[in-house]
Amino acid sequence: MKPKKKKEILKKKESPRAIGKEYSFFEDVFDVARQIPKGRVTSFGAIANYLGTKLSARMVGWAMNGAHQANPPVPAQRVVNRNGMLTGKAHFSTPTKMEELLAKEKVEVKNDTVVDFEKLFWDPAKELEI
DNA sequence: CGTGTGACCGGCG
DNA sequence: ACGCCGGCCACAC
């Protein structure tokens, strides 16, 4: 947890490649995703909202595209759409990997959808308090 | 530099 | 109630 930064990161994006490393919106998404408490889940919209791009939740999901490939690994299984559906399960090693991971987190998954999603919902904008 | 795409979301028919 | 369409931002080709 790092109460600093926050929007500071998205201030102006000073040439991501100029750094020579991955340093951009991705890191923000990854960082937020990593801050998701165990046994909790969040939605793309929530992350997008936290990042200030709620109107473009698509990019969040798109960013997650490299999340399962990022280092350190990002618990992408805790990130689902606003319906609580495991939309990105297909992007995991195995189609069942996502619900398996969630199952280990004591998160019930029924029909590719998180049970009690509303209760397990973790809003970064609130928890992290922008 | 321009075009395409993306694990979405919300509104409208 | 369901389905389709547009939109927004960032990144890769």
Side-chain angles (χ1 to χ4, degrees), chain A residues 1 3 8 11 20 31 36 62-63 65 78 85 96 101 103 105 108 110 113 116 118:
Chain A
M1 57 266 254
E8 198 177 309
K11 54 186 174 182
D31 193 45
I36 301 175
W62 176 78
N65 195 2
R78 295 176 192 159
M85 192 154 124
T96 55
L101 291 170
E105 310 262 329
E108 292 184 64
K110 211 88 165 183
T113 306
D116 293 333
E118 295 182 17

Side-chain angles (χ1 to χ4, degrees), chain A residues 7-25:
Chain A
K7 299 200 122 178
E8 198 177 309
I9 335 181
L10 20 130
K11 54 186 174 182
K12 238 22 173 222
K13 83 192 171 192
E14 34 206 289
S15 300
R17 348 169 104 187
I19 316 288
K21 264 276 188 174
E22 291 131 48
Y23 191 85
S24 59
F25 186 86

Side-chain angles (χ1 to χ4, degrees), chain A residues 41 44 76-81 83-92 95-100 102 107-114:
Chain A
V41 291
F44 297 90
Q77 68 273 12
R78 295 176 192 159
V79 182
V80 295
N81 64 1
N83 283 323
M85 192 154 124
L86 310 182
T87 50
K89 66 170 181 138
H91 292 263
F92 277 72
T96 55
K97 186 75 176 187
M98 193 168 184
E99 47 184 290
E100 270 184 45
L102 287 171
V107 177
E108 292 184 64
V109 177
K110 211 88 165 183
N111 201 12
D112 296 342
T113 306
V114 177

Side-chain angles (χ1 to χ4, degrees), chain A residues 15-63:
Chain A
S15 300
R17 348 169 104 187
I19 316 288
K21 264 276 188 174
E22 291 131 48
Y23 191 85
S24 59
F25 186 86
F26 281 53
E27 198 177 273
D28 293 345
V29 178
F30 299 157
D31 193 45
V32 174
R34 289 193 221 114
Q35 290 178 70
I36 301 175
K38 182 180 178 183
R40 288 292 185 86
V41 291
T42 189
S43 65
F44 297 90
I47 297 176
N49 185 19
Y50 171 72
L51 296 176
T53 58
K54 64 172 186 179
L55 295 179
S56 306
R58 313 179 66 188
M59 50 170 286
V60 176
W62 176 78

